Amino acid sequence: MRGRNPVAAMTQAEKGEPENGREKEKEQRGVKRPILPAAIPEPLQEHIQCDYVVVIHPGSNTLRIGRATDTHPAAIPHVIARRHKQPGQPPSCDKWLLRDGLNKPESNEQRQNGLKMVDQAIWSKKMSNGTRRIPAMPEQARVYNKQIRPAILDHDSGVKWTSTSHNEEYFVGEEALFVNPADRYDIHYPIRRGQLNIHDGPGGSLTAVLTDLEVIWSHVIQKFLEIQLKDLKYYRCILLIPDIYNRQHVKEMVNMILTKMGFSGVIVHQESVCAVYGSGLTSACVVDVGDQKTSICCVEDGISHRNTRLCLAYGGSDVTRCFFWLMQRAGFPYRECQLTNRLDCLLLQQLKETYTHLDQDISGLQDQEFQVRHPDSPALLYQMRLGDEKLQAPMALFYPATFGIVGQKMTSLQHRSPGDPEDPHDEHYLLATQSKQDQSSKAAADRKALPKPSMFDDARSQAMDVAERGHMMEAELGPSQGDGMGHSNDGEESSASLFSRKTMVSQFEGKALGLDKAILHSIDCCTSDDTKKKMYSSILVVGGGLMFHKAQQFLQHRILNKMPPSFRRVVENVEVITRPKDMDPRLIVWKGGAVLACLDTTQELWIYQREWQRFGVRMLRERAAFVW
C-alpha cells in the first residue's frame, strides 16, 4: 500500500472494487496501460548514467567489457573451455586460424595467383627515394633458414598449463587457451566472423552458443568488473552489434541480457556509429578490420547508411595464416608449428604483429629472432631470415585471392529478415501496407480522372498492374535486400536504385573484394556527391586487423589512385585516420559505446526488462537507434 492513501484504498475495498479491477476494465475498453521503466533504487538514479552502465563489445576473438566510466575495458580472449562429458568421443575444438575453403584443389593455384598480383603491386610502386624495389626471393632466405637449429634458453619455459585438478566445469579467456589438450575439454568460440557461431558440430546449436556467451560474460563481469550477478538488476547494459547483423541473434542476445543475466535495461547500437562517437568525429567511412571479418559502412551525423554496408569474410587471422604460409616457403625454422595447435597460433599471431608492415622502403633480407615457450618444454630461441614476406602478408588484404579461400561467400550485405511471429509489424508488413496504400491512392486518382462507366474496370486493372510490377520487382531483388525495407528515415532508395545496387553487388558478392575496392564501393553507394566528398575526407580505420607500420599512408595512396577522377578534382584531401586522439584503434568502438551511455539523447533508447517481458522484440523496433 506504499505511496497510496489508505482511506481511498479502504473506500475502494468497501465498494467491492479490487485494486486491479479498473485496470482490467480499461484494458477491455482498449485503453493502453503506460509502459513502466524498470524499478531502480532511489539512491542510484543520479549515478545510473555512468557508474551503473556496462558496455559490452563482443568480438570474434576478443571480448571488451567495462563500465562506461572506465578508462579502458577489460579485454580477454572470447573463448570458453568446457569439460568434455562424453567418454569414448574425442573433445571438440573450434577452429581459429583454419577455416573452410582452404583445402580445395584450386586453393593453391588461387593463392599463387594472388601472390603474383601482390608482387606486381610491390614492384610497381616506387620507394620514397624514387627507385624501384629490388624483390627478395624466398630461395635466398630458405638456404639460411634450413640450417637453423634452435638454441635452448632455459630447460623450463616458465609457461604452465591451466590447472584442472578441481575438475572445473569450464574455463574462460586465457585459462581456456592454456588448457592441456590431454585434459579433455571442448574449446568453443561463441562468435565467428561477427555472427553467432552456429554450426552442426558439438556446442554449435543456438542454445549452446547463447549459454557459452552468458557464462563468459557473467564470469568476466564478476572477475574483472567485480560486480555480483545478483546486483545486475541495478545496472544497465549497452550491447554493440555489427553493422550487418542477424535479427534473430540480436533478439536472443537481448533476451539473454535482460531475462537471464538480469540487467534492468539495454541499448543496442551498431559498431560503426559507436566508432564515430568514440573518435570524436561527426561523419566518416568506418573501416573495421577485425580478426575474423572486415566491415565497412558510411556514417553521417550518427546514422549508418544501409546502402553502404559491406562485410568481407576475412580479417587479421587470415593475414596471420598467410604469413605462416609465406614463412614456410622461406624455410620457417620452427618446423613443428601446426595451425591446429592453439599455442602455435598464438605464437604466429605474435610474429605477425611484430614483424609485418606496409612500408615499401623496407627491402632486402633481415635477420630476426623469436622464442617458443610451451608448457612442459624448454624455452627455445630461433634465428630467422625474412625478406618480402613481411610486406606480402598484410598486402593480402588488398588482394584476398592470396588467402586461397575457395567456395565461400566472401562479401555480404544486410539480408532481409525472414520474419518474426512476435513482430507482426515488421518490414514485410510495412512493405505490403505501403504497396496497398499506393494502390488505393492510385485507384482513387484514376476514379476521379476517368469516365464513370469504365471507372471500376480501369481502377481494378491499374491496381493489378501495380501489384504485378511490385511482385516482379520483389522477385528480382531477392532476399538479400533488407534492414528496414519500407522505412523512409534510413536513406530509402527507389525501386530502380535498389535493383541497380543488387545487380552491381551480385557481380562480386561471391568473390573476395580487396579492402581498397570495398571502401570505394561503399562510398560510391552514398546517395549524394556531397556525402561522398565528406566520406573521402574522413576514412576512419578501427579494429586490430590493420595495425601495421605505415598502414595509414599505404591505404591513403591506394584510395587516391583508385578513386573516380571526378572526385579526385573536387576532394581537397583524402584523409585516412587510424589513431584519432592517439587512441588504440581496438578500443574506439567500445569507447563510443561508453560515450553513448552519457548522452542525454540516449535516455529514450533504453529497453527495460519489464517492457521486454511484456512486448518482446517489438521494443527493438520502437527503441533501436537504427532502423530495425
Side-chain angles (χ1 to χ4, degrees), residues 289-363:
V289 187
D291 182 75
Q292 298 276 311
K293 55 91 179 168
T294 298
S295 60
I296 302 165
C297 176
C298 292
V299 177
E300 188 176 22
D301 300 325
I303 299 295
S304 161
H305 288 298
R306 169 172 56 91
N307 309 340
T308 66
R309 296 176 200 161
L310 285 173
C311 184
L312 310 173
Y314 58 78
S317 62
D318 297 284
V319 176
T320 303
R321 188 183 61 253
C322 182
F323 187 44
F324 177 50
W325 171 64
L326 291 167
M327 287 194 297
Q328 284 182 310
R329 290 173 77 242
F332 187 47
Y334 174 36
R335 295 171 187 87
E336 297 78 20
C337 187
Q338 297 290 334
L339 292 177
T340 52
N341 185 318
R342 292 191 303 278
L343 303 190
D344 284 346
C345 290
L346 286 170
L347 170 67
L348 290 172
Q349 185 184 41
Q350 180 186 346
L351 293 178
K352 177 199 72 174
E353 293 172 357
T354 305
Y355 296 127
T356 54
H357 61 83
L358 283 168
D359 188 351
Q360 293 272 132
D361 289 349
I362 300 175
S363 63

Side-chain angles (χ1 to χ4, degrees), residues 389-442:
E389 293 80 12
K390 296 180 292 182
L391 176 60
Q392 290 167 331
M395 280 192 68
L397 291 169
F398 302 90
Y399 299 94
T402 318
F403 295 136
I405 303 164
V406 176
Q408 282 198 305
K409 184 177 178 180
M410 297 297 288
T411 307
S412 56
L413 308 172
Q414 182 76 55
H415 287 262
R416 174 175 289 165
S417 166
D420 191 319
E422 294 180 25
D423 186 15
H425 296 88
D426 59 11
E427 69 260 30
H428 299 287
Y429 169 83
L430 294 170
L431 190 65
T433 53
Q434 180 71 32
S435 177
K436 288 175 183 176
Q437 289 170 4
D438 290 345
Q439 292 170 29
S440 60
S441 60
K442 189 91 171 174

Side-chain angles (χ1 to χ4, degrees), residues 82-150:
R82 287 189 174 276
R83 185 157 45 84
H84 191 67
K85 297 180 180 178
Q86 297 178 332
Q89 292 187 6
S92 64
C93 181
D94 289 347
K95 300 169 184 175
W96 177 11
L97 296 185
L98 288 171
R99 58 183 292 180
D100 295 333
L102 292 172
N103 297 317
K104 301 294 173 86
E106 318 92 79
S107 292
N108 193 53
E109 182 183 354
Q110 181 169 304
R111 193 183 287 120
Q112 297 289 351
N113 290 336
L115 187 57
K116 287 177 185 176
M117 290 188 282
V118 167
D119 288 338
Q120 176 63 29
I122 291 173
W123 180 85
S124 63
K125 186 177 182 294
K126 293 181 180 179
M127 296 192 291
S128 58
N129 61 8
T131 61
R132 296 278 182 195
R133 235 169 151 274
I134 299 173
M137 305 308 292
E139 291 79 12
Q140 298 171 271
R142 190 184 304 125
V143 173
Y144 174 84
N145 291 333
K146 287 289 187 183
Q147 305 171 14
I148 295 298
R149 296 293 178 268

Side-chain angles (χ1 to χ4, degrees), residues 47 59 95 128 160 206 226 230 289 318 379 383 481 510 564 574 592:
H47 304 295
K95 300 169 184 175
S128 58
K160 303 295 182 186
L206 178 61
E226 298 180 347
K230 62 182 177 58
V289 187
D318 297 284
Q383 303 290 331
Q481 298 300 323
V574 172

